[in-house]
């Protein structure tokens, strides 16, 4: 949805042999964090598709390179959220054969994204389910000392640690609402992928939300 020419690139680098963080390693009981609030990508995609990009603030995600050392030291598994938070959580759950609970709390969402969802009359959880990602890192960390030490190490580098959920036993991926509601993550993604893009997006999203889960 770029309004001008855009380019994609790929950077390669070297890491210590024993310092590679993959998607495997998440286990029940681990805490799930992201390296910043989520929803900015979905908000930008929605704004450009439904409202038009004229006058909208530019949204430019940046690579979380400064998070490398703390995550190598403390994280057990890591994946980027380029396809959105819920999709990233599903991939982490699938590869580790575990379950995941994502907490639909206001604190996990970028503030302007929250405001946009509220203004459009849409639930904020769509910011976690949509697949216009924000390129934060989703990582699992052992609860307790590692969790605290990782959070502190990131803070020293100016990187927030946003608690978004937990790794669970079983194979369910669940979006847990503040009202106690529990939505099946796989079903939400399936339904959202069936929503047509383009002119009817806003009404289609309202229809999807109205269907319940």
């Amino acid at each position: 949805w770029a309004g001008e020419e855009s380019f994609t690139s790929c950077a390669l680098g070297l890491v210590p042999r024993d310092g590679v963080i993959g998607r495997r390693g998440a286990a029940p009981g681990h805490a799930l964090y992201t390296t910043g609030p989520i929803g900015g990508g979905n908000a930008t995609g929605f704004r450009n598709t439904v409202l038009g990009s004229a006058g909208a603030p530019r949204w430019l995600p940046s690579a979380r390179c400064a998070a490398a050392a703390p995550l190598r030291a403390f994280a057990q598994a890591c994946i980027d959220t380029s396809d959105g938070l819920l999709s990233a959580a599903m991939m982490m759950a699938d590869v580790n054969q575990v379950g995941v609970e994502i907490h639909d709390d206001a604190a996990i969402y970028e503030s302007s994204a929250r405001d946009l969802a509220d203004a459009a009359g849409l639930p904020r959880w769509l910011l976690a389910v949509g697949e216009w990602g924000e390129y934060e890192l989703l990582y699992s960390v052992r609860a307790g000392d590692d969790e605290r030490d990782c959070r502190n190490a990131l803070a020293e580098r100016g990187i927030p640690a946003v608690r978004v959920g937990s790794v669970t036993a079983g194979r369910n991926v669940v979006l847990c609402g503040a009202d106690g509601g529990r939505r099946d993550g796989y079903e939400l993604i399936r339904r959202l992928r069936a929503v047509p893009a383009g002119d009817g997006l806003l009404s289609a999203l309202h229809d999807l939300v109205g269907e319940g889960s």
Side-chain angles (χ1 to χ4, degrees):
W1 25 265
E4 64 283 332
E5 288 186 354
S6 59
F7 301 88
T8 298
S9 62
C10 179
L12 302 178
L14 300 175
V15 296
R17 183 179 297 275
D18 60 352
V20 176
I21 307 172
R23 298 179 180 184
R24 295 185 184 276
H30 287 182
L32 285 176
Y33 282 82
T34 55
T35 50
I38 61 100
N42 281 310
T44 300
F46 175 84
R47 185 183 293 112
N48 291 350
T49 301
V50 176
L51 306 179
S53 58
R58 296 192 71 187
W59 179 75
L60 296 173
S62 59
R64 291 295 195 180
C65 297
L71 295 187
R72 277 205 304 268
F74 300 108
Q76 302 303 308
C78 185
I79 183 173
D80 69 79
T81 64
S82 55
D83 289 325
L85 175 61
L86 193 60
S87 286
M90 286 169 50
M91 284 185 268
M92 184 180 286
D94 288 346
V95 76
N96 290 285
Q97 299 186 8
V98 295
V100 164
E101 291 186 350
I102 297 296
H103 303 154
D104 178 31
D105 296 327
I108 76 172
Y109 302 115
E110 194 266 332
S111 59
S112 64
R114 288 199 312 262
D115 293 343
L116 182 62
D118 293 346
L122 293 169
R124 294 171 179 175
W125 53 259
L126 283 172
L127 299 169
V129 178
E131 294 183 297
W132 278 309
E134 55 283 308
Y135 299 92
E136 294 294 347
L137 299 175
L138 171 68
Y139 61 94
S140 74
V141 62
R142 295 188 184 95
D145 291 346
D146 281 3
E147 181 181 8
R148 179 201 61 217
D149 293 343
C150 186
R151 188 168 57 241
N152 291 341
L154 288 168
E156 290 174 359
R157 291 161 174 78
I159 300 173
V162 180
R163 177 73 184 265
V164 297
S166 303
V167 181
T168 63
R171 298 298 302 274
N172 296 320
V173 175
V174 181
L175 187 68
C176 302
D179 59 357
R182 295 171 63 84
R183 296 179 172 88
D184 184 328
Y186 291 102
E187 178 64 12
L188 289 176
I189 290 290
R190 184 194 67 78
R191 285 165 43 200
L192 190 65
R193 287 175 178 170
V195 170
D199 293 340
L201 179 60
L202 180 57
S203 61
L205 289 174
H206 279 292
D207 290 343
L208 181 150
V209 172
E211 290 173 5
S213 58

